Amino acid sequence: MSIEVTNLTKVYGAQRAIDGISFTLKKGEIVGFLGPNGAGKSTTMKILTGYLKPTEGLAKVSDFNVVEQPMPARKSIGYLPEHNPLYLDMFVTEFLLFSGKLYGMSGATLKTRVEEVIAMCGLEPEKKKKIGQLSKGYRQRVGLAQSFLHDPQVLILDEPTTGLDPNQIQEIREVIRTAGKDKTVLFSTHIMQEVEALCDRVIIINKGKVVSDSSLDELRSTGNSLEEIFKNLTRSE
Ligand SMILES: Nc1ncnc2c1ncn2[C@@H]1O[C@H](COP(=O)(O)OP(=O)(O)OP(=O)(O)O)[C@@H](O)[C@H]1O
């Protein structure tokens, strides 16, 4: 399994941000992770990427336990956090070269890879600018390029298209589709069309619990739209 989550729980003070969730992603699957604000999507992703420790339960990425084997687990992950921190004073190419070095890459291999991810993410026209001068969509492309740098097997993308205009959304989706071809991708979003455009499967969480885990085909066969299904499963009484 590329991602394996078993009875995962995270408690902040008195609040159970996630409450015994379980799911798996097979190699090569693209899965949408849906849930209303505060459902626990980012918390789950932060545990998978090693930024948070779970209170209980098990999380594995590429068969590595993220708590006990954090380094090999992290090496196999490309992560785009929700509020992606970027160095605004750095030039695009400079930033990617710097990030590659943090992954232990160097020399000609690093330079070639940086050019590859720049091309993959459509950053060629902007690569000589400072990140602070870029539009939101291009900044997001820099974040994606950074997450692809070490050619990870698993991509974990937290709301990659939030705050972008419709054209940029379309373009970022294309980047994810192309980059995700031979990878396992878990991404969170609030945009249902995104799920329909990109995913094989959808996991919906609400108040820290998995309330649905089905293929898009299974959901379509209910005769309801994804919006209706989402609303019914996450309505707060
Ligand atoms: N550091 C923290 N301390 C206390 N509570 C937190 C912390 N981080 C998250 N929470 C709470 O945990 C719950 C889950 O938050 P999380 O950010 O995982 O949700 P989300 O599904 O990603 O939401 P959104 O769609 O708004 O990004 C929320 O109620 C949130 O307030």
Side-chain angles (χ1 to χ4, degrees):
M1 286 295 166
S2 282
I3 298 183
E4 207 176 332
V5 165
T6 314
N7 282 321
L8 204 64
T9 297
K10 177 72 189 178
V11 178
Y12 294 114
Q15 180 169 10
R16 297 178 92 78
I18 53 170
D19 190 5
I21 65 171
S22 300
F23 61 83
T24 56
L25 263 70
K26 283 197 253 159
K27 196 166 187 282
E29 275 191 302
I30 301 193
V31 174
F33 198 32
L34 301 187
N37 291 128
K41 302 178 297 295
S42 297
T43 300
T44 307
M45 289 178 153
K46 283 180 193 159
I47 293 173
L48 284 170
T49 50
Y51 286 87
L52 273 182
K53 288 233 168 354
T55 310
E56 272 172 52
L58 179 75
K60 282 182 164 182
V61 177
S62 304
D63 295 325
F64 298 111
N65 181 319
V66 299
V67 176
E68 287 166 9
Q69 301 157 287
M71 290 321 285
R74 274 193 192 199
K75 271 198 175 154
S76 76
I77 299 170
Y79 176 41
L80 180 73
E82 186 178 8
H83 305 290
N84 189 28
L86 294 168
Y87 293 96
L88 301 183
D89 282 332
M90 280 182 131
F91 294 95
V92 172
T93 306
E94 179 193 16
F95 171 72
L96 292 171
L97 287 168
F98 166 75
S99 302
K101 284 182 190 147
L102 297 181
Y103 286 123
M105 301 161 82
S106 63
T109 316
L110 172 58
K111 274 196 183 139
T112 308
R113 183 60 186 161
V114 165
E115 284 310 317
E116 270 171 20
V117 296
I118 282 175
M120 227 160 123
C121 297
L123 276 165
E124 194 62 44
E126 307 289 290
K127 71 177 183 183
K128 296 204 168 108
K129 286 191 186 164
K130 278 192 175 176
I131 295 171
Q133 297 170 326
L134 301 180
S135 68
K136 214 167 173 182
Y138 275 97
R139 286 187 198 187
Q140 202 64 337
R141 287 173 198 241
V142 174
L144 280 171
Q146 181 196 24
S147 72
F148 301 160
L149 261 181
H150 56 306
D151 197 19
Q153 261 317 299
V154 177
L155 295 175
I156 296 184
L157 312 175
D158 199 351
E159 301 194 23
T161 58
T162 295
L164 305 187
D165 74 36
N167 295 338
Q168 288 172 333
I169 288 180
Q170 196 63 40
E171 287 160 14
I172 294 285
R173 248 182 234 167
E174 255 338 287
V175 172
I176 296 172
R177 202 199 313 276
T178 312
K181 251 187 194 137
D182 55 347
K183 303 195 186 302
T184 308
V185 184
L186 179 68
F187 77 96
S188 66
T189 180
H190 289 288
I191 308 171
M192 299 296 157
Q193 296 95 306
E194 193 136 290
V195 172
E196 306 207 288
L198 284 175
C199 296
D200 310 309
R201 188 152 60 87
V202 187
I203 297 170
I204 304 177
I205 63 168
N206 188 39
K207 296 180 185 154
K209 290 187 190 283
V210 174
V211 291
S212 172
D213 181 351
S214 308
S215 71
L216 264 189
D217 289 342
E218 282 169 325
L219 294 177
R220 282 197 191 105
S221 71
T222 63
N224 292 320
S225 70
L226 197 50
E227 270 96 353
E228 284 167 331
I229 294 170
F230 181 83
K231 245 196 271 170
N232 288 336
L233 288 170
T234 61
R235 222 189 327 243
S236 46
E237 257 79 23

